[in-house]
Amino acid sequence: MIYLFGVLAACLLGLGFVLQQHAAREAPLSDMLSFRLLLDLMKVPLWLAGIGCMVAGQIFSVLALSRGDLSRVEPLLATNLLFAMVLARWLSGERLGRSGWAGVLLLSGGVTAFIIAGSPHSGPDDTGSLRHWLVFGGVLALALLLVLTARHVRLVAEPPLLAAAAGVLYGLQDALTRVSSSIAEEHGIGRLLVSWEPYLIVVLAVTGLMLVQSAFEAGPLRMSLPALTAAEPLAGIACGIGFLGDRIRITPEALAGELAGLAAVVTGVFLLGRHPAMPTGCHRETEDGTPDDD
């Protein structure tokens, strides 16, 4: 059931990202990195359809995370790009080609290799509060650094940085989702409602959504989705091992397989994310009145 829920979540997330980008590209640039952007996009039916897919995907990801360890579920969620490619290819009519097939094989093969080599499993949560907060704070600091850097670079470099920041926050959100599931199972919903984790999940989700839509607005999907898709599982696995007690095999052969698998996943993500089938959005006029066709 872990794998079923993980793949269903990836499918719905991938479809949702494509629909959201088609809508966000028509929003004014003045809304970028503002929560006003979300209010404007709520008036767009296509964006709402994308959000519906994303919410459904998040529900399935919660079901997967409640049943399995983070280091096993996160690579499955990275396959959302395969499903995004299916929809993007259907909308664009582009052939998959050599780069597309290479991306598909690397992404799917990398996920399989990491799971087989690492054999992720849950372990005792005995990492200690200091390590917990160091990893937690480090992940948040990395997301903030990416956003601050994005604000001081050219527009063409902004989408991948904003998307990577959103992916880092989503990885942390996944970790807190697993923590919340454990609290609810062990102590009941009443205890969960007085815990800080579910409320921070909402903050991370809304902030991540704003960053994703800003990245989609600033440039074509192929500029942002690879960074988003690669950052989330890497941050999630780091949190799982860092403070949730996840365990992977650490023999030399296993580590080699795990690193090769993750490298294949990241390479496949970028090959698929930059495929010509991925939507470039609509023409928009820049401040000087010239069309920006990305």
Side-chain angles (χ1 to χ4, degrees), residues 140-160:
L140 286 178
L142 176 59
L144 179 60
L145 178 63
L146 288 168
V147 173
L148 293 177
T149 303
R151 299 307 294 153
H152 294 85
V153 297
R154 295 175 59 243
L155 183 62
V156 69
E158 200 165 2

PDB file of all heavy atoms in Angstrom, residues 140-160:
ATOM      1  N   LEU A 140      15.359  24.971   7.146  1.00  0.00           N
ATOM      2  CA  LEU A 140      14.694  26.272   7.009  1.00  0.00           C
ATOM      3  C   LEU A 140      15.677  27.348   6.539  1.00  0.00           C
ATOM      4  O   LEU A 140      15.334  28.198   5.704  1.00  0.00           O
ATOM      5  CB  LEU A 140      14.077  26.684   8.345  1.00  0.00           C
ATOM      6  CG  LEU A 140      12.812  25.947   8.783  1.00  0.00           C
ATOM      7  CD1 LEU A 140      12.352  26.451  10.148  1.00  0.00           C
ATOM      8  CD2 LEU A 140      11.689  26.134   7.758  1.00  0.00           C
ATOM      9  N   ALA A 141      16.894  27.329   7.061  1.00  0.00           N
ATOM     10  CA  ALA A 141      17.901  28.315   6.665  1.00  0.00           C
ATOM     11  C   ALA A 141      18.263  28.165   5.193  1.00  0.00           C
ATOM     12  O   ALA A 141      18.452  29.167   4.485  1.00  0.00           O
ATOM     13  CB  ALA A 141      19.153  28.164   7.531  1.00  0.00           C
ATOM     14  N   LEU A 142      18.335  26.933   4.713  1.00  0.00           N
ATOM     15  CA  LEU A 142      18.638  26.701   3.302  1.00  0.00           C
ATOM     16  C   LEU A 142      17.530  27.266   2.409  1.00  0.00           C
ATOM     17  O   LEU A 142      17.810  27.914   1.391  1.00  0.00           O
ATOM     18  CB  LEU A 142      18.804  25.202   3.043  1.00  0.00           C
ATOM     19  CG  LEU A 142      19.024  24.787   1.582  1.00  0.00           C
ATOM     20  CD1 LEU A 142      20.270  25.454   1.010  1.00  0.00           C
ATOM     21  CD2 LEU A 142      19.118  23.274   1.458  1.00  0.00           C
ATOM     22  N   ALA A 143      16.275  27.042   2.788  1.00  0.00           N
ATOM     23  CA  ALA A 143      15.153  27.576   2.007  1.00  0.00           C
ATOM     24  C   ALA A 143      15.196  29.100   1.983  1.00  0.00           C
ATOM     25  O   ALA A 143      15.008  29.725   0.928  1.00  0.00           O
ATOM     26  CB  ALA A 143      13.828  27.086   2.588  1.00  0.00           C
ATOM     27  N   LEU A 144      15.472  29.719   3.128  1.00  0.00           N
ATOM     28  CA  LEU A 144      15.545  31.181   3.197  1.00  0.00           C
ATOM     29  C   LEU A 144      16.694  31.706   2.350  1.00  0.00           C
ATOM     30  O   LEU A 144      16.551  32.710   1.639  1.00  0.00           O
ATOM     31  CB  LEU A 144      15.715  31.623   4.654  1.00  0.00           C
ATOM     32  CG  LEU A 144      15.838  33.128   4.899  1.00  0.00           C
ATOM     33  CD1 LEU A 144      14.600  33.858   4.412  1.00  0.00           C
ATOM     34  CD2 LEU A 144      16.071  33.411   6.387  1.00  0.00           C
ATOM     35  N   LEU A 145      17.829  31.035   2.384  1.00  0.00           N
ATOM     36  CA  LEU A 145      18.987  31.446   1.585  1.00  0.00           C
ATOM     37  C   LEU A 145      18.670  31.387   0.095  1.00  0.00           C
ATOM     38  O   LEU A 145      19.057  32.298  -0.668  1.00  0.00           O
ATOM     39  CB  LEU A 145      20.181  30.551   1.915  1.00  0.00           C
ATOM     40  CG  LEU A 145      21.464  30.821   1.123  1.00  0.00           C
ATOM     41  CD1 LEU A 145      21.985  32.221   1.409  1.00  0.00           C
ATOM     42  CD2 LEU A 145      22.526  29.782   1.457  1.00  0.00           C
ATOM     43  N   LEU A 146      17.964  30.362  -0.338  1.00  0.00           N
ATOM     44  CA  LEU A 146      17.596  30.232  -1.749  1.00  0.00           C
ATOM     45  C   LEU A 146      16.674  31.376  -2.186  1.00  0.00           C
ATOM     46  O   LEU A 146      16.821  31.931  -3.274  1.00  0.00           O
ATOM     47  CB  LEU A 146      16.922  28.887  -1.989  1.00  0.00           C
ATOM     48  CG  LEU A 146      17.835  27.664  -1.936  1.00  0.00           C
ATOM     49  CD1 LEU A 146      17.019  26.379  -1.905  1.00  0.00           C
ATOM     50  CD2 LEU A 146      18.784  27.655  -3.134  1.00  0.00           C
ATOM     51  N   VAL A 147      15.717  31.730  -1.315  1.00  0.00           N
ATOM     52  CA  VAL A 147      14.794  32.823  -1.650  1.00  0.00           C
ATOM     53  C   VAL A 147      15.541  34.152  -1.724  1.00  0.00           C
ATOM     54  O   VAL A 147      15.347  34.944  -2.662  1.00  0.00           O
ATOM     55  CB  VAL A 147      13.649  32.906  -0.618  1.00  0.00           C
ATOM     56  CG1 VAL A 147      12.792  34.143  -0.871  1.00  0.00           C
ATOM     57  CG2 VAL A 147      12.778  31.658  -0.683  1.00  0.00           C
ATOM     58  N   LEU A 148      16.392  34.423  -0.741  1.00  0.00           N
ATOM     59  CA  LEU A 148      17.146  35.681  -0.733  1.00  0.00           C
ATOM     60  C   LEU A 148      18.068  35.775  -1.942  1.00  0.00           C
ATOM     61  O   LEU A 148      18.220  36.849  -2.540  1.00  0.00           O
ATOM     62  CB  LEU A 148      17.952  35.794   0.561  1.00  0.00           C
ATOM     63  CG  LEU A 148      17.133  35.957   1.850  1.00  0.00           C
ATOM     64  CD1 LEU A 148      18.052  35.977   3.058  1.00  0.00           C
ATOM     65  CD2 LEU A 148      16.280  37.217   1.794  1.00  0.00           C
ATOM     66  N   THR A 149      18.675  34.658  -2.310  1.00  0.00           N
ATOM     67  CA  THR A 149      19.540  34.646  -3.494  1.00  0.00           C
ATOM     68  C   THR A 149      18.724  34.908  -4.750  1.00  0.00           C
ATOM     69  O   THR A 149      19.164  35.640  -5.656  1.00  0.00           O
ATOM     70  CB  THR A 149      20.262  33.288  -3.610  1.00  0.00           C
ATOM     71  OG1 THR A 149      21.003  33.043  -2.415  1.00  0.00           O
ATOM     72  CG2 THR A 149      21.212  33.286  -4.807  1.00  0.00           C
ATOM     73  N   ALA A 150      17.531  34.322  -4.813  1.00  0.00           N
ATOM     74  CA  ALA A 150      16.668  34.495  -5.991  1.00  0.00           C
ATOM     75  C   ALA A 150      16.301  35.964  -6.212  1.00  0.00           C
ATOM     76  O   ALA A 150      16.134  36.400  -7.356  1.00  0.00           O
ATOM     77  CB  ALA A 150      15.402  33.651  -5.844  1.00  0.00           C
ATOM     78  N   ARG A 151      16.191  36.720  -5.137  1.00  0.00           N
ATOM     79  CA  ARG A 151      15.788  38.126  -5.258  1.00  0.00           C
ATOM     80  C   ARG A 151      16.922  39.012  -5.759  1.00  0.00           C
ATOM     81  O   ARG A 151      16.710  40.194  -6.025  1.00  0.00           O
ATOM     82  CB  ARG A 151      15.291  38.650  -3.908  1.00  0.00           C
ATOM     83  CG  ARG A 151      14.080  37.918  -3.381  1.00  0.00           C
ATOM     84  CD  ARG A 151      12.957  37.872  -4.408  1.00  0.00           C
ATOM     85  NE  ARG A 151      12.426  39.188  -4.695  1.00  0.00           N
ATOM     86  CZ  ARG A 151      11.849  39.536  -5.836  1.00  0.00           C
ATOM     87  NH1 ARG A 151      11.773  38.664  -6.824  1.00  0.00           N
ATOM     88  NH2 ARG A 151      11.377  40.743  -6.009  1.00  0.00           N
ATOM     89  N   HIS A 152      18.137  38.464  -5.876  1.00  0.00           N
ATOM     90  CA  HIS A 152      19.280  39.273  -6.297  1.00  0.00           C
ATOM     91  C   HIS A 152      19.942  38.733  -7.559  1.00  0.00           C
ATOM     92  O   HIS A 152      21.104  39.005  -7.823  1.00  0.00           O
ATOM     93  CB  HIS A 152      20.315  39.360  -5.161  1.00  0.00           C
ATOM     94  CG  HIS A 152      19.835  40.097  -3.950  1.00  0.00           C
ATOM     95  ND1 HIS A 152      19.104  39.479  -2.942  1.00  0.00           N
ATOM     96  CD2 HIS A 152      19.950  41.405  -3.582  1.00  0.00           C
ATOM     97  CE1 HIS A 152      18.806  40.378  -2.011  1.00  0.00           C
ATOM     98  NE2 HIS A 152      19.313  41.544  -2.370  1.00  0.00           N
ATOM     99  N   VAL A 153      19.193  37.972  -8.331  1.00  0.00           N
ATOM    100  CA  VAL A 153      19.718  37.455  -9.588  1.00  0.00           C
ATOM    101  C   VAL A 153      18.778  37.871 -10.715  1.00  0.00           C
ATOM    102  O   VAL A 153      17.687  38.387 -10.489  1.00  0.00           O
ATOM    103  CB  VAL A 153      19.858  35.912  -9.554  1.00  0.00           C
ATOM    104  CG1 VAL A 153      20.855  35.488  -8.498  1.00  0.00           C
ATOM    105  CG2 VAL A 153      18.502  35.247  -9.318  1.00  0.00           C
ATOM    106  N   ARG A 154      19.216  37.643 -11.950  1.00  0.00           N
ATOM    107  CA  ARG A 154      18.388  37.957 -13.109  1.00  0.00           C
ATOM    108  C   ARG A 154      17.144  37.087 -13.095  1.00  0.00           C
ATOM    109  O   ARG A 154      17.134  35.981 -12.550  1.00  0.00           O
ATOM    110  CB  ARG A 154      19.174  37.731 -14.404  1.00  0.00           C
ATOM    111  CG  ARG A 154      20.350  38.660 -14.570  1.00  0.00           C
ATOM    112  CD  ARG A 154      21.164  38.316 -15.809  1.00  0.00           C
ATOM    113  NE  ARG A 154      20.371  38.375 -17.028  1.00  0.00           N
ATOM    114  CZ  ARG A 154      20.132  37.332 -17.809  1.00  0.00           C
ATOM    115  NH1 ARG A 154      20.607  36.134 -17.492  1.00  0.00           N
ATOM    116  NH2 ARG A 154      19.414  37.468 -18.907  1.00  0.00           N
ATOM    117  N   LEU A 155      16.074  37.575 -13.735  1.00  0.00           N
ATOM    118  CA  LEU A 155      14.789  36.880 -13.744  1.00  0.00           C
ATOM    119  C   LEU A 155      14.919  35.463 -14.277  1.00  0.00           C
ATOM    120  O   LEU A 155      14.250  34.541 -13.805  1.00  0.00           O
ATOM    121  CB  LEU A 155      13.782  37.669 -14.590  1.00  0.00           C
ATOM    122  CG  LEU A 155      12.351  37.103 -14.627  1.00  0.00           C
ATOM    123  CD1 LEU A 155      11.734  37.102 -13.239  1.00  0.00           C
ATOM    124  CD2 LEU A 155      11.486  37.923 -15.598  1.00  0.00           C
ATOM    125  N   VAL A 156      15.819  35.246 -15.238  1.00  0.00           N
ATOM    126  CA  VAL A 156      15.953  33.929 -15.847  1.00  0.00           C
ATOM    127  C   VAL A 156      16.475  32.905 -14.845  1.00  0.00           C
ATOM    128  O   VAL A 156      16.228  31.697 -14.990  1.00  0.00           O
ATOM    129  CB  VAL A 156      16.885  34.000 -17.074  1.00  0.00           C
ATOM    130  CG1 VAL A 156      18.319  34.270 -16.653  1.00  0.00           C
ATOM    131  CG2 VAL A 156      16.807  32.723 -17.893  1.00  0.00           C
ATOM    132  N   ALA A 157      17.207  33.353 -13.813  1.00  0.00           N
ATOM    133  CA  ALA A 157      17.745  32.432 -12.813  1.00  0.00           C
ATOM    134  C   ALA A 157      16.840  32.304 -11.593  1.00  0.00           C
ATOM    135  O   ALA A 157      17.100  31.476 -10.723  1.00  0.00           O
ATOM    136  CB  ALA A 157      19.129  32.905 -12.364  1.00  0.00           C
ATOM    137  N   GLU A 158      15.794  33.100 -11.536  1.00  0.00           N
ATOM    138  CA  GLU A 158      14.943  33.120 -10.343  1.00  0.00           C
ATOM    139  C   GLU A 158      14.056  31.881 -10.203  1.00  0.00           C
ATOM    140  O   GLU A 158      13.949  31.329  -9.098  1.00  0.00           O
ATOM    141  CB  GLU A 158      14.080  34.382 -10.358  1.00  0.00           C
ATOM    142  CG  GLU A 158      13.532  34.761  -9.003  1.00  0.00           C
ATOM    143  CD  GLU A 158      13.004  36.184  -8.988  1.00  0.00           C
ATOM    144  OE1 GLU A 158      13.036  36.845 -10.042  1.00  0.00           O
ATOM    145  OE2 GLU A 158      12.548  36.622  -7.919  1.00  0.00           O
ATOM    146  N   PRO A 159      13.395  31.390 -11.269  1.00  0.00           N
ATOM    147  CA  PRO A 159      12.474  30.251 -11.099  1.00  0.00           C
ATOM    148  C   PRO A 159      13.092  29.014 -10.464  1.00  0.00           C
ATOM    149  O   PRO A 159      12.503  28.452  -9.522  1.00  0.00           O
ATOM    150  CB  PRO A 159      11.996  29.979 -12.534  1.00  0.00           C
ATOM    151  CG  PRO A 159      12.104  31.289 -13.222  1.00  0.00           C
ATOM    152  CD  PRO A 159      13.321  31.932 -12.637  1.00  0.00           C
ATOM    153  N   PRO A 160      14.284  28.537 -10.904  1.00  0.00           N
ATOM    154  CA  PRO A 160      14.820  27.329 -10.260  1.00  0.00           C
ATOM    155  C   PRO A 160      15.168  27.526  -8.790  1.00  0.00           C
ATOM    156  O   PRO A 160      15.019  26.600  -7.991  1.00  0.00           O
ATOM    157  CB  PRO A 160      16.069  26.997 -11.092  1.00  0.00           C
ATOM    158  CG  PRO A 160      16.403  28.239 -11.830  1.00  0.00           C
ATOM    159  CD  PRO A 160      15.121  28.949 -12.052  1.00  0.00           C
TER     160      PRO A 160
END
